[in-house]
Structure formats: structure tokens, C-alpha cells
Amino acid sequence: MSKARELKHTTRLRARYKETDQMGVVYYANYFVWFEVARTEFFRDIAYPYSRIEKEQGLRLMVVAADCSYKMPAHYDDIVDIECIVSGTGNASITFKYNVLRGSDLLACGETVHVFTDFSGRPKKIPADIKEALK
Amino acid sequence: MSKARELKHTTRLRARYKETDQMGVVYYANYFVWFEVARTEFFRDIAYPYSRIEKEQGLRLMVVAADCSYKMPAHYDDIVDIECIVSGTGNASITFKYNVLRGSDLLACGETVHVFTDFSGRPKKIPADIKEALK
Amino acid sequence: MSKARELKHTTRLRARYKETDQMGVVYYANYFVWFEVARTEFFRDIAYPYSRIEKEQGLRLMVVAADCSYKMPAHYDDIVDIECIVSGTGNASITFKYNVLRGSDLLACGETVHVFTDFSGRPKKIPADIKEALK
Amino acid sequence: MSKARELKHTTRLRARYKETDQMGVVYYANYFVWFEVARTEFFRDIAYPYSRIEKEQGLRLMVVAADCSYKMPAHYDDIVDIECIVSGTGNASITFKYNVLRGSDLLACGETVHVFTDFSGRPKKIPADIKEALK
């Protein structure tokens, strides 16, 4: 990993009413939606919008594992920052770590592991230019 | 419309925790999800599972309009019955009405209007056998 | 309605992967979620954040009716603008209209009707200061 | 753990159109929603409906960790069985394991860890009768 460029991107969003449940906090599965929003913005940031990876390269980023640890609840209308960090890459795989922050409070952290596949689900090597951008 | 067969199907489901919001009731957009579940079961009931309409006939049921009136809130774990009734068909279009009931209480009612299209979005006549089944 | 201030607010957001379905477009119920995001930003814009209306005034904005007409599909990663316009107010009720735009293309338009209630669901007059702000 | 009663419950459901994404498979965060549906049915099965735990005992089951491994994708209209198994209990905590099956195919497996809390979020011992039922 190059020192010149940190493989990290932070996305800011607001908790939606829809994302709360009757506990009055953001429903636990929605953190994985926030991770996805942060991944999308990460790829845009390194100049490989995920929409282009799908459309132009015919590749998909299949999820093979996902986890989240919940420290403090997020509430409706909270502004949260989702840090998305590349924590590892393999031939066909990529691992992201996430931190969900409200100001300096860490609300949750998690990880997702993905494999690049073609549209029929066969694993594919990470394209050279994306691999380059991830360095 | 044949008297022998009423074009109505009732689907029973339970309100999920996920479907509530911090008001402690089912979030309003989720009624449209319930309508979709009821439509799916309606098509299965007339022997044209929607999954087959997409896969085998290459057709889609695009939504062009949807509305819902909310009478009483649904709560977590409520058992609700969704009545789905064909209220009209055109050359390429079909209109459904819905009633959401908890026991004999009417919680909500709504309507969705759909057009059959091919995968590129062009309107298509309702296939003859589906039209027949809808009679 | 004062000429000096138009009761309209526009919120920009991006379609999430989560919001698509296997048709490759944004699932119809999610437009109502976007309407909610736009309402939240509308209230913030007139200086009455909805989170404060709930917390400080003990009021809720119950939905009694909602509809949407779909003109063109929204896709993953599209930037959309949601216009939220107050189209009517009663003693306890408020009606919003919405336009969903991608650039100059109108993707959808809709309406929601709400009643202010207390936490037990009883209708309440719109608080004087909110009524004032809505003028 | 008593031999007479296995602390496992299986819930059957159908994948909803809403739950798919433009990859044509069930979106990854929705497996956590299915886990929640399975937990709800697990508690009903041991005669402690979660709705009663909240309402009558003033307790909540806060999630502190969740993970899922994805083996094969689920598709729209698939019938899936969600096995929910108690894999551990502490003073205030409970751990569930899940298997998502389509017929004999294992689609995904996961785990959630929860802490019983009161409505202000303070951890509370598992009530004696629930502890008894979990034996």
C-alpha cells in the first residue's frame, strides 16, 4: 500500500426515519446498507465508480462475509460518518473495514469480504487498473 | 369476470420488527411491500407465478401508480391479511386493489396500476393465457 | 402564503444499491422513503427539525394517505432531486407534493397527507409557531 | 441444556421481490432481517413472544454483534428455511446461530449476540422464567 494515498474514504449521511425501529434506534441490518453506501463512495473516490465496474467491465462484487459490532445506537436524524478502509486484497477478493462515527463517538465497526465475479457468478481476478488504483 | 371464480386472493403475514419505525408502528412505505407480497401470491394462485412471467415470458409488471390510505396503524408481530383484488385490466395494463386487515379491522386500503413491458421497458399486451386466467 | 418565501425545499440524494430490485431499477416503495427524507429536510429548512417536533412538542406527523405516479425509472447511483412542496394545511393536517427529478427529467411525482397527533394518536392542532413558519 | 427439548426453531419464508437487488439476488443486509424473523418465531416457540418481553417485562434484546457468511445466493420467490439455534447464554446475554437453507442447500449461516437491557439501555439479567425456558 502506497504511503502517498491512503485507501480510506469517509462518507457522511443522515439516519432516516425509515431506518429506525420501535426501539427508537437505527435497526441493526441498516448498518450494512450504510457500509454499502460507503463502498460506493469509496470506489467513486478512487475513480472506479461501482456502477461502471458493473456496466463496463461486466463484473460484480459479491459479498461472501459481513459482520458488525454495535457499540452505541444511532438515532433518527443523526449525522454519521462511515469510514471505509481497504484492509486486504487477494487475487479476486477485497476486504473492507468500516467505522461508523457520530462526531468522535464510535457507534459501530464492521467488515465485509467480497469476491469479484462475472455475471454468472464465477470468480474473476481484480482488473489490473482497479488493482493499480488500490495500491 | 366469471362468477365461478373471484379474482381475489388473501395473503397472511406477520409484521416484522424491521418494518416498524420509532413511532412504534409499521412504517408507511412498507404497506407497498405488503401489496407486492400479496400480488406475488395472487399470481401464484391463478397459476401464473410472477417469477415465471419474468423468466419464461420475458415480461415485467412495471408500476405506474400506487396509493394507500391509512386508517389504523399496524404493530410489530400483528397478523395481517392482505386482500388483493383485480379491479381492472386494459390491453397492457392491470389494476389491483388491496385491503389490509387485522381480524375485522381495516388498517389500510390501496391500489396499484401496472403495465406489462418487455425487459427494455416497452409496453406489451397481456399474454393471452394470463388474460384468460384473469377472466 | 407569503410571496417572499416559497414553501418548497429540494433535497438531493443518490440512489443506493439497496434501493434497486432485480428489475434493475429503484423499487417502487422506496420513492416513499425518499419523500420522507425530503420532508425531514423541508422541516429543517423552515427551522422546525422533525426530530424536535417529536421530542420537544410531543407531536407526530401521522401519514393518512400517500400516492406516487411513476414516469421513468431511477437507477442505481443516479443523483435525484426531491422537491417537497406544502400544497395545503388544515387545522391539524398538512399535505405535501413531491417531484422526483433526475436533471430535468421528471421521474415521479406524489403526495402525502399527514395529521399532527400526540403520542397516543389523537389529532392535535398544528402548533402556532409551525403554522406561522408555514405561512 | 435439556435433551428433551432442542433450543432450535425453523422458520420458513419466501424471498420477496423487495428483498432482491439489481444483481438479481437477495441483498446481503436482508439476511439479518430474516435472522430477526427467525428470532421472533423462536421466542414464540418457547412461549415467550418477543412482543411480550418488550411490553410486559420492559426489556429489550439489544444487538451487540452480528455476522453472516454467504455461500450461495437466494433468489426472488425462493422458499427458505431459517434455523435459529441458541448457542450460548450469559447473565444478560444470549447468542443465536442461524442457517439459511433452500431445501438441503446451505445458502448462508450467521450469528447474532444480544444483551437484555431495560428501555434506557442498561443491561439486565435474563428473567428467570426465560432462562428456565432456555434450558
Side-chain angles (χ1 to χ4, degrees):
Chain A
M1 181 155 55
S2 152
K3 307 258 167 182
R5 172 155 208 189
E6 207 191 355
L7 286 172
K8 170 176 161 179
H9 183 73
T10 303
T11 301
R12 175 163 289 193
L13 53 79
R14 255 187 205 282
R16 299 173 172 186
Y17 207 90
K18 203 275 175 185
E19 294 172 332
T20 62
D21 63 25
Q22 70 180 38
M23 248 185 235
V25 300
V26 170
Y27 182 75
Y28 82 127
N30 290 325
Y31 288 75
F32 294 95
V33 180
W34 290 358
F35 293 173
E36 172 240 302
V37 173
R39 276 197 308 278
T40 284
E41 297 308 322
F42 171 86
F43 278 107
R44 193 184 330 281
D45 188 51
I46 63 163
Y48 286 90
Y50 182 66
S51 53
R52 265 182 49 205
I53 294 176
E54 280 203 351
K55 261 192 236 165
E56 293 172 22
Q57 309 203 314
L59 291 178
R60 279 167 173 169
L61 208 53
M62 197 78 101
V63 185
V64 294
D67 68 68
C68 187
S69 292
Y70 305 87
K71 318 292 187 192
M72 297 172 63
H75 296 94
Y76 166 60
D77 219 34
D78 279 353
I79 293 178
V80 292
D81 292 310
I82 324 289
E83 296 177 352
C84 173
I85 305 128
V86 176
S87 63
T89 52
N91 268 340
S93 72
I94 183 164
T95 302
F96 292 100
K97 288 197 175 297
Y98 309 86
N99 295 308
V100 180
L101 297 146
R102 184 179 50 216
S104 59
D105 287 334
L106 179 66
L107 304 186
C109 53
E111 191 179 81
T112 60
V113 184
H114 304 259
V115 169
F116 279 90
T117 70
D118 61 20
F119 276 30
S120 58
R122 269 184 299 262
K124 288 283 165 187
K125 280 196 185 168
I126 304 182
D129 50 356
I130 296 182
K131 194 120 197 179
E132 191 58 34
L134 290 174
K135 266 193 192 145
Chain B
M1 180 155 53
S2 152
K3 305 258 167 183
R5 171 159 211 187
E6 207 191 355
L7 284 172
K8 171 176 160 180
H9 182 75
T10 303
T11 300
R12 175 164 288 194
L13 52 80
R14 255 187 205 282
R16 300 172 171 187
Y17 207 91
K18 202 282 174 178
E19 294 171 334
T20 63
D21 63 24
Q22 71 180 36
M23 249 184 234
V25 299
V26 171
Y27 182 74
Y28 82 128
N30 290 325
Y31 288 76
F32 294 95
V33 180
W34 291 356
F35 292 172
E36 172 241 301
V37 172
R39 276 198 307 278
T40 285
E41 296 308 324
F42 171 85
F43 278 108
R44 193 185 329 283
D45 188 50
I46 62 162
Y48 285 91
Y50 181 66
S51 53
R52 265 180 50 204
I53 295 175
E54 280 204 350
K55 261 192 233 163
E56 293 172 20
Q57 309 202 313
L59 292 178
R60 279 166 171 167
L61 207 52
M62 198 77 101
V63 185
V64 294
D67 69 67
C68 186
S69 292
Y70 305 86
K71 318 293 186 192
M72 297 171 63
H75 297 94
Y76 166 58
D77 219 32
D78 280 354
I79 292 178
V80 293
D81 292 310
I82 323 290
E83 295 177 352
C84 174
I85 304 128
V86 177
S87 63
T89 53
N91 268 341
S93 72
I94 182 164
T95 302
F96 293 101
K97 288 198 174 296
Y98 308 87
N99 295 309
V100 179
L101 297 146
R102 185 179 51 215
S104 59
D105 287 336
L106 179 65
L107 304 187
C109 52
E111 190 178 81
T112 60
V113 184
H114 305 259
V115 169
F116 280 90
T117 70
D118 61 20
F119 276 30
S120 58
R122 269 184 297 264
K124 288 282 166 188
K125 278 195 185 170
I126 304 183
D129 49 357
I130 297 182
K131 195 121 197 182
E132 190 57 33
L134 289 175
K135 265 194 192 143
Chain C
M1 181 155 56
S2 151
K3 306 259 169 184
R5 173 160 212 184
E6 207 192 353
L7 285 172
K8 170 175 161 180
H9 183 74
T10 303
T11 301
R12 175 163 288 193
L13 52 80
R14 255 188 206 280
R16 299 173 171 186
Y17 207 90
K18 201 281 175 181
E19 294 171 333
T20 63
D21 63 25
Q22 70 179 36
M23 247 184 238
V25 300
V26 170
Y27 183 74
Y28 82 128
N30 290 325
Y31 289 75
F32 295 95
V33 179
W34 291 357
F35 294 171
E36 172 240 302
V37 173
R39 277 198 307 278
T40 286
E41 296 309 323
F42 170 86
F43 278 107
R44 191 184 331 282
D45 188 51
I46 62 163
Y48 286 90
Y50 181 66
S51 53
R52 265 181 51 206
I53 295 175
E54 279 203 352
K55 261 193 233 163
E56 293 172 20
Q57 309 202 314
L59 291 178
R60 278 166 172 169
L61 207 52
M62 198 79 100
V63 185
V64 294
D67 68 69
C68 186
S69 293
Y70 305 86
K71 317 293 187 192
M72 295 171 63
H75 296 94
Y76 166 59
D77 219 33
D78 279 354
I79 293 178
V80 292
D81 292 311
I82 323 289
E83 295 178 352
C84 174
I85 305 128
V86 176
S87 63
T89 54
N91 268 341
S93 71
I94 182 164
T95 302
F96 293 101
K97 288 197 176 296
Y98 308 87
N99 295 309
V100 180
L101 296 147
R102 184 179 53 215
S104 59
D105 287 334
L106 179 66
L107 304 187
C109 52
E111 190 178 82
T112 60
V113 184
H114 304 259
V115 169
F116 280 89
T117 71
D118 61 20
F119 276 29
S120 59
R122 269 184 298 263
K124 289 281 165 188
K125 279 195 185 168
I126 304 183
D129 49 356
I130 296 182
K131 194 123 197 180
E132 191 57 34
L134 289 175
K135 265 190 192 144
Chain D
M1 179 155 56
S2 152
K3 306 258 169 183
R5 171 156 210 188
E6 207 192 354
L7 285 172
K8 171 175 160 179
H9 183 74
T10 303
T11 300
R12 175 163 288 192
L13 53 78
R14 255 187 206 281
R16 300 173 171 185
Y17 206 91
K18 204 275 175 185
E19 293 171 333
T20 63
D21 63 24
Q22 71 179 37
M23 251 184 233
V25 299
V26 170
Y27 182 74
Y28 83 128
N30 290 326
Y31 288 76
F32 295 95
V33 180
W34 291 357
F35 293 172
E36 172 240 302
V37 173
R39 277 198 306 279
T40 285
E41 296 309 323
F42 171 85
F43 278 107
R44 193 184 329 280
D45 188 51
I46 63 163
Y48 286 89
Y50 181 66
S51 53
R52 267 182 49 205
I53 295 175
E54 279 203 352
K55 261 192 234 165
E56 293 173 22
Q57 310 203 313
L59 291 178
R60 278 165 173 172
L61 206 54
M62 198 77 101
V63 185
V64 294
D67 69 68
C68 187
S69 292
Y70 305 86
K71 317 293 187 192
M72 295 171 63
H75 296 95
Y76 165 59
D77 219 33
D78 279 353
I79 293 178
V80 292
D81 292 310
I82 323 290
E83 295 178 352
C84 174
I85 304 129
V86 177
S87 63
T89 53
N91 268 341
S93 72
I94 182 165
T95 302
F96 292 101
K97 287 196 176 298
Y98 309 86
N99 295 309
V100 179
L101 297 146
R102 184 179 51 215
S104 59
D105 287 335
L106 179 66
L107 305 186
C109 52
E111 191 179 82
T112 60
V113 184
H114 304 259
V115 169
F116 280 90
T117 70
D118 61 20
F119 276 30
S120 59
R122 269 183 299 262
K124 288 283 166 187
K125 278 195 187 170
I126 303 182
D129 49 356
I130 296 182
K131 194 121 197 180
E132 190 58 33
L134 289 175
K135 265 192 191 144

